[in-house]
């Protein structure tokens, strides 16, 4: 078997890379280890409207569960404030998706553009000759075989065995990995067009709890914790006890929050998505970043093969371009994540007291300075995280 490109991983990163490589006329094979693309869900499922512009795809009611106009932030003492529209760093109006349907839809679109797909297939090793990745050793059921390729794209998630096989450093420190748990629940009472974010050391130490509406009283209720004494599941179970709602699905996993890996390419190889650490370190969001980098990987693959140059020097263009596109955003998010990590419950309560029932766009710098004179670190946070249009 021989392909221009073999993509390892059939979720969002893999399908996007495959889609744009196939659109460019390449022979592409996408390999997915699970028997069905889209399951299990490994995401809170919210994304921006920009995601669909990047994919050159119109959003469909088949997988759009809710239109999102903003987010409600809850402090530990129960006070809350609302951010509407795009008036906060890292948030844009968007949607809550049904990822089981959306991920498969994206794979189907890729197949329609010419991508071959193999499910329930694992990659056991890379084929490397003279320091260049030139294929994979795959296993489907009981059969093992070689698949040659000019380029391999590693889209295999946070474990990223493919990147490690190629000699790239992908190790995440335990302290940089958020432990996450999420229930999909029925009977949740909340505004159907606003996300909810809850902070508090007794709710989600080192992280936050989210409630994302999916329509008709269904919502994702989950949380992520960092360096906590108990598991994410423990804190989630404790929180949902006060909800008059019924769980219908549980997912548990981890999210890397340390920022991108040092190097996302080598000769014949590109790494994309969670495997490359292209997740927003502040909020753990990854859909828009993933499709951005997946598209870049697919398009660079086209350029590389058309130029008959799949060397490390050429594929460096992939890293240069994705860092130019989202690199500054990731660095800024990492900085803000460290600020949020140092906030205590009193800080969140003070923020909520100040912002409660206020229009963010109308807040003056003077009012911030007066109210938060004893909290200089919160002043910096407000000026930088919340986009105040003066």
């Amino acid at each position: 078997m021989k392909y221009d490109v073999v993509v390892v991983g059939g979720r969002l990163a893999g399908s996007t890379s495959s889609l744009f490589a196939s659109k460019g006329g390449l022979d592409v094979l996408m390999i997915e280890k699970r028997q069905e693309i889209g399951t299990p869900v490994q995401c809170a499922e919210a994304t921006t409207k920009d995601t669909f512009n990047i994919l050159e795809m119109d959003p469909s009611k088949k997988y759009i569960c809710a239109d999102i106009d903003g987010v409600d932030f809850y402090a530990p003492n129960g006070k809350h404030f609302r951010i509407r529209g795009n008036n906060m760093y890292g948030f844009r109006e968007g949607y809550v998706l049904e990822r089981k349907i959306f991920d498969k839809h994206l794979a189907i679109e890729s197949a329609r553009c010419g991508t071959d797909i193999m499910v329930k297939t694992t990659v056991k090793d890379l084929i490397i000759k003279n320091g260049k990745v030139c294929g994979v050793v795959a296993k489907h059921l009981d059969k093992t075989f070689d698949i040659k390729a000019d380029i391999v794209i590693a889209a295999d998630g946070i474990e990223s065995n493919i990147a490690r096989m190629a000699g790239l450093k992908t190790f995440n420190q335990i302290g940089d990995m958020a432990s996450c748990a999420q229930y999909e629940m029925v009977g949740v009472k909340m505004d159907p067009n606003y996300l909810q974010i809850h902070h508090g050391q007794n709710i989600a130490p080192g992280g936050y709890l989210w409630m994302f509406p999916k329509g008709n009283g269904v919502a994702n209720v989950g949380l992520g914790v960092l360096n906590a004494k108990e598991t994410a599941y423990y804190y989630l179970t404790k929180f949902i006890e006060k909800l008059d709602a019924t769980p219908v699905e549980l997912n548990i996993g981890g999210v890397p929050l340390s920022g991108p890996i040092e190097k996302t390419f080598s000769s014949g190889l590109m790494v994309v998505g969670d495997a490359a650490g292209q997740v927003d370190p502040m909020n753990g969001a990854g859909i828009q970043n993933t499709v951005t980098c997946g598209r870049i990987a697919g398009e660079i693959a086209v350029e590389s093969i058309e130029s008959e140059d799949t060397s490390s020097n050429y594929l460096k263009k992939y890293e240069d371009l994705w860092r130019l596109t989202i690199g500054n955003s990731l660095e800024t998010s990492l900085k803000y994540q460290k600020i949020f990590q140092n906030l205590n419950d009193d800080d969140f309560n003070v923020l909520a007291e100040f912002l409660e029932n206020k229009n963010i766009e109308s807040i003056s710098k003077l009012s911030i300075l007066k109210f938060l004179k004893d909290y200089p670190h919160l002043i910096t946070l407000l000026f930088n995280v919340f986009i105040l249009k003066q």
Side-chain angles (χ1 to χ4, degrees), residues 118-328:
M118 295 183 68
V119 294
K120 206 169 180 60
T121 303
T122 56
V123 171
K124 311 301 291 184
D125 204 352
L126 290 175
I127 302 171
I128 301 176
K129 293 182 179 179
N130 299 320
K132 180 187 181 301
V133 175
C134 51
V136 301
V137 179
K139 183 177 181 180
H140 177 67
L141 300 179
D142 293 326
K143 190 174 181 180
T144 300
F145 45 91
D146 291 353
I147 306 173
K148 295 179 181 178
D150 296 310
I151 293 175
V152 172
I153 296 177
D156 53 334
I158 58 174
E159 68 272 14
S160 195
N161 291 327
I162 302 304
R164 280 198 291 271
M165 289 174 188
L168 298 178
K169 295 179 181 178
T170 62
F171 182 75
N172 285 292
Q173 300 287 342
I174 293 177
D176 294 329
M177 185 72 68
S179 171
C180 301
Q182 175 177 272
Y183 277 115
E184 184 178 54
M185 305 192 75
V186 179
V188 179
K189 297 177 178 62
M190 63 183 297
D191 191 312
N193 300 114
Y194 279 81
L195 309 178
Q196 284 188 18
I197 300 294
H198 297 252
H199 289 284
Q201 286 300 308
N202 291 324
I203 296 174
Y208 65 89
L209 179 141
W210 62 83
M211 296 175 66
F212 289 1
K214 298 182 74 173
N216 298 316
V218 178
N220 288 331
V221 182
L223 56 80
V225 297
L226 205 59
N227 300 319
K229 293 181 180 179
E230 303 288 348
T231 64
Y233 177 73
Y234 167 85
Y235 291 103
L236 180 59
T237 302
K238 183 178 174 183
F239 182 85
I240 67 168
E241 286 176 353
K242 53 191 175 185
L243 297 180
D244 184 18
T246 303
V248 293
E249 184 174 332
L250 171 65
N251 289 290
I252 296 174
V255 177
L257 299 178
S258 54
I261 63 176
E262 183 179 338
K263 186 181 177 185
T264 59
F265 68 96
S266 66
S267 185
L269 179 81
M270 290 179 281
V271 189
V272 67
D274 283 2
Q278 292 160 337
V279 176
D280 190 302
M282 187 171 77
N283 56 29
I287 294 178
Q288 182 176 323
N289 284 351
T290 294
V291 299
T292 297
C293 298
R295 175 171 178 168
I296 292 170
E299 291 177 339
I300 291 297
V302 174
E303 294 176 14
S304 171
I305 290 174
E306 287 180 347
S307 300
E308 298 183 350
D309 185 354
T310 59
S311 68
S312 179
N313 286 338
Y314 195 100
L315 295 184
K316 184 178 182 297
K317 289 184 177 182
Y318 160 66
E319 179 155 311
D320 290 343
L321 189 51
W322 78 251
R323 287 191 185 275
L324 179 65
T325 307
I326 67 167
N328 286 340

Side-chain angles (χ1 to χ4, degrees), residues 18-40:
S18 299
L19 175 65
F20 284 95
S22 291
K23 278 186 174 182
L26 301 186
D27 292 325
V28 181
L29 170 67
M30 183 168 70
I31 297 174
E32 168 56 40
K33 66 182 179 181
R34 293 186 173 88
Q35 64 189 30
E36 181 181 15
I37 291 172
T39 58

